[in-house]
Structures are given as C-alpha cells and as structure tokens.
Amino acid sequence: MQAWTREQFEQKLKDKGQLYHIHHPFHIAMHQGECSKAEIQGWVANRFYYQLNIPIKDAAIMANCRDMETRRLWVQRILDHDGSVGDQALGGIEAWLRLGEAVGLDRQDLLDEKFVLPGVRFAVDAYVNFARRASWQQAACSSLTEMFAPEIHQSRLDSWPQNYPWIKPEGLSYFQMRLSQARRDVNHGLQITLDHFTSAEAQEEALNILQFKLDILWSMLDSMTLAYQQGKAPYQAVLGQDVVNNPIHHKGLFK
Ligand SMILES: O=C(O)c1cc(C(=O)O)c2c(n1)C(=O)C(=O)c1cc(C(=O)O)[nH]c1-2
C-alpha cells in the first residue's frame, strides 16, 4: 500500500470532522436552544472533568517526550488551562468554573466532581491513560480533534446569548479564549503528526488514534444523553429517586 502525500494525509485527518461531537444530538439540541437548564448544567458539570484532566494529560505527554523543542511549545497548553503565577489572564480551568457559576452551579460541587457520570469519567480517564502509555507523537495526534473545536466554540458564542439569556454572559469567556489557543495547538499537533506518521501503515494508525479520540468525545455525550435527556441516569431504574441531583456513583479512585 502506498502512503498518502502530506496533503492527502492532512485531508484524511480533516475528513474525520464529519464524526466530531458537534454532530452529536445532545450538541445539536444545545445549539438549537432546546436544552433545559438542568441539561446545560449537567453538561457543564461533566465537561469540567475533561477540563480538569487536560493539563494532566499534557503533563503525561511531556513526561514521555525527550524533544526539548516540542516540550517548549507543549508546556503552553498546561499554562493555558492552569493559568500562570502573576498572569492577569484566566486559566481555562478557572474560566470553566466561572462558566459553572454563570449557569447556576456551585463551584465546590464542580471541584468535588459531584455530578461526573461514570461513563464520562471512564471516557476521560481513557484519554489520560492513553497519553501516559503512547509515544508523544501518538498522543499529539490524539489532540487533533481540536482542529474542529474553534467552530463549536464559536457556535456557542453566537447562539447562547439568544437561546439561553439566563446564562450570565461573563461565563462565556472560556469559549472566546479557546478560539486562538486551539488554532495554535492544532498547528503544532498537525506538524508533529504529518512529520511522524509517514508510511501507509502509520497513517492508518494515526486515523485510528483520531477515531479513538472522537469516540471519547461522542461517548461522553452519550452518557449525558441517557442521564439528562432520557431520564436514565445510572441506577435511576433501580433506585427510582433523584439520582441526578443526588448521585450515588463512585467519585473517582485515584486522586
Ligand atoms: O468544547 C469542545 O467541544 C472542546 C473539544 C475539544 C476536543 O476536540 O478535544 C477540546 C476542547 N473543547 C477544549 O476546550 C480544550 O481545551 C481541548 C484540549 C484538547 C486536547 O485534546 O488536548 N481538546 C480540547
């Protein structure tokens, strides 16, 4: 089998955008203004677990990377989410906490991971564990769903103020910040991927890695759909009580 040219390979990676979670029914409903306050809150609380783990994931990638040039650029991702000392700009995690407050969630409940559904936790943990075990080039490739992220951030900025006027506008600053940060990350992650995966087999492997990451994002929303849209939160069928607001599931093991 012959390898694709660099341009063809880049296009194959971009074609995966058809399967991005922007097309998940939960996100479509959110974009169309059809989500209830409880659904938005559930999404914000669960996505916070992703946010919390992004810098852990990026630190794992750096721990596996002997290339100084790469680390010098990659470290910026950690600072973007954690913020840096003396920096006036918000880190992404703090910005997401403010989004939580803007949708009426309690900051401490987010930090306690109170509402994180088991399926969301398993999906996010799979991403972190992959980054720990993979080579840094494979892990860089898995971040490439970010190619498709600016569109979804922009769509929230465009549609939420009209659709969800009850959300305080200052809560949307996370999405604004990510527009430029994601584009910069993608340029770097894409160069690593195009440079590293050059044989036909390696290019197939890269597409499989990207599909793995798409599966993670899609699976997170599947869990949220069951819990918040279909009234089938874990154990609801057994306990028949308000397990959405008083979750019974485990709170994470290795912290
Ligand atoms: O809101 C979204 O839909 C979305 C998706 C993704 C993504 O595609 O992985 C990221 C983000 N947001 C995001 O804010 C972010 O910081 C981020 C980092 C990464 C990554 O894989 O390293 N993905 C994403």
Side-chain angles (χ1 to χ4, degrees):
M1 202 168 49
Q2 222 196 331
W4 291 307
T5 64
R6 205 174 162 92
E7 291 71 30
Q8 287 169 330
F9 178 36
E10 181 172 340
Q11 192 54 50
K12 293 280 175 193
L13 292 165
K14 290 190 169 149
D15 289 347
K16 286 278 183 190
Q18 303 171 49
L19 303 178
Y20 195 49
H21 65 175
I22 197 170
H23 304 297
H24 191 287
F26 195 99
H27 266 158
I28 292 174
M30 185 183 284
H31 180 65
Q32 292 176 343
E34 291 162 6
C35 278
S36 65
K37 185 170 182 178
E39 285 163 5
I40 298 276
Q41 288 180 334
W43 178 79
V44 170
N46 275 270
R47 255 297 294 268
F48 186 62
Y49 188 63
Y50 190 68
Q51 306 307 132
L52 278 178
N53 278 282
I54 292 288
I56 306 290
K57 180 271 295 183
D58 286 319
I61 295 175
M62 287 187 51
N64 288 330
C65 178
R66 298 203 158 270
D67 183 61
M68 186 179 70
E69 293 291 323
T70 301
R71 289 202 308 268
R72 193 181 283 153
L73 293 175
W74 208 273
V75 70
Q76 187 59 45
R77 298 178 186 232
I78 298 179
L79 300 177
D80 286 345
H81 288 275
D82 286 344
S84 45
V85 177
D87 190 356
Q88 294 306 307
L90 282 185
I93 292 178
E94 177 59 32
W96 199 279
L97 282 166
R98 294 187 189 186
L99 171 62
E101 288 170 331
V103 302
L105 287 165
D106 182 80
R107 193 181 174 87
Q108 198 56 47
D109 284 346
L110 290 184
L111 290 167
D112 292 344
E113 303 168 11
K114 179 172 176 184
F115 301 112
V116 178
L117 296 161
V120 169
R121 186 179 293 279
F122 298 146
V124 173
D125 289 354
Y127 189 28
V128 177
N129 287 327
F130 173 74
R132 289 189 174 128
R133 294 181 55 189
S135 70
W136 57 270
Q137 294 95 337
Q138 290 170 320
C141 174
S142 70
S143 75
L144 287 183
T145 48
E146 275 204 279
M147 290 191 291
F148 319 120
E151 186 184 344
I152 203 168
H153 293 311
Q154 187 65 57
S155 79
R156 294 168 188 142
L157 289 165
D158 292 342
S159 66
W160 283 26
Q162 296 96 306
N163 289 338
Y164 306 107
W166 55 271
I167 301 178
K168 299 195 186 76
E170 59 269 26
L172 304 185
S173 64
Y174 179 81
F175 305 130
Q176 189 66 47
M177 284 164 48
R178 284 310 296 171
L179 289 177
S180 54
Q181 292 173 351
R183 292 198 175 96
R184 185 212 50 214
D185 290 354
V186 164
N187 286 338
H188 186 212
L190 199 53
Q191 290 319 308
I192 293 171
T193 303
L194 297 176
D195 288 345
H196 180 75
F197 298 88
T198 50
S199 69
E201 294 74 22
Q203 290 172 339
E204 283 297 342
E205 182 200 354
L207 289 174
N208 193 39
I209 290 171
L210 191 52
Q211 186 60 52
F212 160 77
K213 173 69 174 303
L214 290 163
D215 293 352
I216 285 169
L217 296 174
W218 199 273
S219 299
M220 289 168 66
L221 289 172
D222 285 348
S223 291
M224 292 184 233
T225 301
L226 275 175
Y228 304 123
Q229 292 187 320
Q230 298 183 2
K232 294 176 186 159
Y235 312 111
Q236 196 150 336
V238 180
L239 298 171
Q241 64 193 47
D242 186 10
V243 288
V244 166
N245 291 311
N246 299 295
I248 196 100
H249 43 72
H250 80 291
K251 300 289 186 285
L253 300 179
F254 302 110
K255 286 192 198 158

